[in-house]
Amino acid sequence: MAETGISREKVAIVTLGCEKNLVDSDMMAHLIDERGYELVDDPNEATVVIVNTCGFIDAAKEESVNKILEMGELKETGKLKSLVVAGCLTQRYKEDILNEIKEVDGIVGTGDFMSITKVIDDSLIGKRTALVGNPIFTYEEVVKRKVKEGTFSAYIKIAEGCDNACTFCSIPMMRGAFRSRTMESIIEEARHLVAQGVVEVSLIAQDSTNYGTDIYDGKLMLPELLRKLSEVDGLEWIRLHYAYPGFFTDELIEEFANNPKVCKYIDMPLQHSEDAILKRMRRPGRQRDIRELVAKIRAQVPDVAVRTSLIVGFPGETEEDFANLQAFVKDIRFDRLGVFTYSKEDDTPASRLPDQIDEETMEKRSNIIMEMQREIASERNGRFVGRELDVLIERYDGRNDVFVGRSQYDAPEIDGEVFVSGYKGELGKIVKVRITHSYEYDLAGEVI
């Protein structure tokens, strides 16, 4: 039951960073809705704004700070009474935010966001509350989320935190140690999302292939989780992100090959190809292992789309290392690929390594890899012309009079789309589309 007067407050949540933040924002939205506040999409209409921040790399931190300052200006130009900051930036830089950004009325860390309504309540009576404690938070009993109307695809965290201790990464400092959720809680959350109209879930964790080892007697339980999720009525597609190559078992490959609800799409962040750099990154496995694994997956899962992410400019990356990385990308021919320039993060081992590389060189290397990948992606996309693909219809583009969706080979927001002509049905449906054209990253076709 809403308290008297609470419903007059309008709350907008601005989410930055990765998909994990989107999940946390959905959970905060549910709590805010239950509390009796009105959720709005437009911060200009809000009396309370929550900025859910990212603190992973310098560019993300800068974006978060700029967004906080931008929202703070609404106290002068809009209706804003309270500005609350959540997420990874608060977990890493609590004191800096409180001391240097006076517009902020309260903060909550990655392990405390379930107290968001208390922070809002306090801020509205002039109390500047900061709840930033241990980053370890369990999602075990928290399955309720409020997704926006018209959401057909959603992310589910199957684990949180990380134990891999890569030398460039600050995530363990912000999210804590690796901890899996039980299958029961994940399945319950999937059912809750399907009841709101979701037909596709993307499973995320810092290390998804390691799922279950900490709570199921050391066993790798991802294949069984995929099987059980596929039994959820109304759930059509299950997508996997952030699959560590070291734990990609034959049993998991078989599940991709044989389970019709599991998208033939594997997001496997490799970071680099060269053994010496992988060792300095403290990444398990070597290039030979990666090549063998990708070849095995492609042999057993026809048409699988393999996505990876790479880091260029890691300390000590020589011109020879970079040339070898180019050869690796050209040889493997990933379907989807993203490139990050190395970011020197506070308190990480890599920040203390010698032979740090200048920004100009890193940007140049990034551009070279992405130009190579543009041509590879265009060629890989061409194989779909003339074929029939299942496409999830997500929106209507009135300007071009076409519906827009995705095939199982493209993840939401980061990959390509399919432009569909001749469709007359509802959004959120999976339909057969005959592909007539391919572009660098997108496809076009006609509904059958």
Side-chain angles (χ1 to χ4, degrees):
M1 177 83 62
E3 294 180 12
T4 303
I6 286 180
S7 60
R8 291 197 299 271
E9 306 299 347
K10 297 182 177 182
V11 183
I13 304 176
V14 178
T15 306
L16 306 174
C18 69
E19 301 88 353
K20 301 171 192 66
N21 268 8
L22 287 172
V23 174
D24 293 349
S25 289
D26 287 348
M27 290 181 174
M28 286 191 283
H30 173 75
L31 293 168
I32 290 164
D33 184 57
E34 276 199 331
R35 183 74 174 90
Y37 293 117
E38 180 183 349
L39 287 160
V40 296
D41 293 333
D42 186 359
N44 292 289
E45 294 299 316
T47 55
V48 179
V49 168
I50 301 163
V51 181
N52 195 2
T53 60
C54 179
F56 181 41
I57 58 176
D58 283 342
K61 287 184 282 189
E62 183 178 353
E63 180 188 20
S64 293
V65 171
N66 288 340
K67 182 59 69 173
I68 294 167
L69 295 174
E70 178 189 337
M71 293 297 101
E73 292 176 359
L74 293 177
K75 290 184 176 181
E76 301 295 331
T77 62
K79 304 173 182 178
L80 190 65
K81 300 177 186 176
S82 169
L83 176 59
V84 177
V85 181
C88 291
L89 197 72
T90 62
Q91 195 67 39
R92 285 190 79 181
Y93 301 106
K94 168 187 172 182
E95 300 300 332
D96 291 339
I97 294 171
L98 289 174
N99 295 333
E100 297 179 18
I101 309 180
K102 301 303 181 185
E103 294 89 346
V104 173
D105 299 294
I107 65 173
V108 61
T110 58
D112 300 277
F113 68 86
M114 296 300 288
S115 298
I116 186 64
T117 56
K118 171 178 170 50
V119 177
I120 293 172
D121 291 348
D122 287 353
S123 71
L124 290 170
I125 60 172
K127 185 177 179 182
R128 202 175 190 226
T129 297
L131 298 179
V132 182
N134 192 318
I136 293 181
F137 173 79
T138 176
Y139 291 78
E140 191 58 31
E141 298 178 5
V142 185
V143 298
K144 291 187 176 180
R145 293 161 54 187
K146 186 174 179 63
V147 298
K148 293 180 180 178
E149 188 175 349
T151 297
F152 309 115
S153 178
Y155 298 96
I156 293 181
K157 287 189 189 184
I158 63 172
E160 181 59 286
C162 190
D163 292 341
N164 290 316
C166 298
T167 58
F168 56 84
C169 185
S170 58
I171 284 174
M173 291 184 277
M174 297 181 288
R175 294 283 179 174
F178 182 83
R179 52 209 186 275
S180 303
R181 296 172 59 185
T182 62
M183 285 191 228
E184 291 78 11
S185 75
I186 295 168
I187 291 164
E188 186 179 351
E189 182 173 336
R191 290 189 178 123
H192 178 71
L193 290 167
V194 168
Q196 297 180 73
V198 168
V199 297
E200 173 192 40
V201 296
S202 295
L203 307 184
I204 53 174
Q206 290 305 130
D207 180 359
S208 59
T209 43
N210 198 28
Y211 169 74
T213 54
D214 55 324
I215 60 172
Y216 293 112
D217 299 322
K219 297 178 182 177
L220 296 167
M221 298 297 286
L222 184 58
E224 184 171 343
L225 174 63
L226 293 173
R227 286 192 289 273
K228 289 189 173 181
L229 275 172
S230 67
E231 296 171 1
V232 174
D233 289 339
L235 182 58
E236 302 294 337
W237 284 354
I238 305 165
R239 189 178 298 277
L240 182 66
H241 285 277
Y242 316 131
Y244 231 67
F247 303 116
F248 215 103
T249 63
D250 289 346
E251 183 185 6
L252 182 57
I253 295 174
E254 289 175 11
E255 197 63 28
F256 272 86
N258 299 322
N259 190 328
K261 286 194 176 183
V262 175
C263 293
K264 307 301 184 277
Y265 175 99
I266 297 169
D267 187 345
M268 185 184 297
L270 299 176
Q271 313 306 359
H272 213 280
S273 64
E274 297 309 285
D275 291 355
I277 291 181
L278 291 170
K279 185 176 181 180
R280 286 201 297 277
M281 288 179 168
R282 208 180 290 157
R283 299 280 295 180
R286 295 296 174 257
Q287 183 181 149
R288 182 182 65 185
D289 305 321
I290 293 168
R291 286 179 176 272
E292 290 176 354
L293 176 59
V294 172
K296 182 189 288 188
I297 291 171
R298 284 177 164 166
Q300 296 185 39
V301 189
D303 275 339
V304 65
V306 180
R307 179 182 179 86
T308 196
S309 57
L310 302 172
I311 295 173
V312 294
F314 191 79
E317 182 187 61
T318 65
E319 289 293 343
E320 182 181 2
D321 290 330
F322 180 64
N324 291 341
L325 177 62
Q326 292 179 71
F328 175 78
V329 170
K330 188 176 293 185
D331 191 26
I332 299 294
R333 306 189 76 73
F334 294 99
D335 299 85
R336 317 284 183 248
L337 184 148
V339 179
F340 296 90
T341 56
Y342 167 71
S343 178
K344 186 177 180 181
E345 292 302 299
D346 298 338
D347 302 320
T348 58
S351 68
R352 299 185 289 273
L353 288 175
D355 302 319
Q356 300 279 331
I357 294 172
D358 64 272
E359 291 286 343
E360 184 178 354
T361 299
M362 288 195 288
E363 287 293 338
K364 179 181 177 182
R365 291 177 180 178
S366 173
N367 292 337
I368 289 171
I369 295 290
M370 286 310 299
E371 179 59 27
M372 287 178 55
Q373 181 59 29
R374 184 182 65 80
E375 296 179 4
I376 293 169
S378 180
E379 182 267 327
R380 294 288 293 168
N381 242 6
R383 74 187 191 276
F384 294 119
V385 174
R387 292 173 51 183
E388 295 178 10
L389 297 182
D390 289 333
V391 175
L392 170 59
I393 304 295
E394 294 185 295
R395 61 186 174 88
Y396 173 67
D397 178 357
R399 177 177 295 180
N400 296 300
D401 190 27
V402 294
F403 283 84
V404 185
R406 286 178 295 107
S407 74
Q408 65 174 318
Y409 306 108
D410 291 288
E413 300 173 2
I414 59 172
D415 295 323
E417 295 179 312
V418 183
F419 301 97
V420 180
S421 58
Y423 182 64
K424 304 296 183 183
E426 300 175 356
L427 300 180
K429 303 296 182 183
I430 295 176
V431 299
K432 293 283 186 186
V433 175
R434 181 175 291 107
I435 303 302
T436 56
H437 297 84
S438 71
Y439 309 100
E440 289 175 359
Y441 300 107
D442 301 319
L443 297 168
E446 301 168 346
V447 72
I448 298 174

